[in-house]
Amino acid sequence: MLKLKVPKMTCGHCASTVTTAIKTVDDDANVEIDLTQQQVTIESNTDAAALSAVLVEAGYPNEPA
């Protein structure tokens, strides 16, 4: 399980964009969004660096939570 802090994720549209970005690299990923904590929890077999990178590409810099 990977937890990332995503400071620019502030609304439902952001959460949708983050989820969609993750699903582009792992369609089977389980994605949980917590907007109040600006945190995303991802259950995936995909490399953590690849998941982080796809969020950066989508405009959402992140760091380990």
Side-chain angles (χ1 to χ4, degrees):
M1 182 173 5
L2 174 64
K3 289 188 178 193
L4 297 172
K5 179 83 171 168
V6 187
K8 289 188 173 184
M9 185 177 63
T10 59
C11 67
H13 182 266
C14 296
S16 177
T17 301
V18 165
T19 301
T20 300
I22 293 165
K23 295 283 190 173
T24 63
V25 292
D26 182 358
D27 193 42
D28 294 326
N30 182 22
V31 181
E32 293 182 25
I33 303 287
D34 182 342
L35 284 175
T36 58
Q37 297 293 318
Q38 294 178 314
Q39 184 172 294
V40 60
T41 303
I42 309 163
E43 289 183 39
S44 172
N45 292 325
T46 303
D47 181 63
L51 294 169
S52 177
V54 77
L55 292 182
V56 170
E57 287 176 23
Y60 293 92
N62 58 83
E63 61 190 44

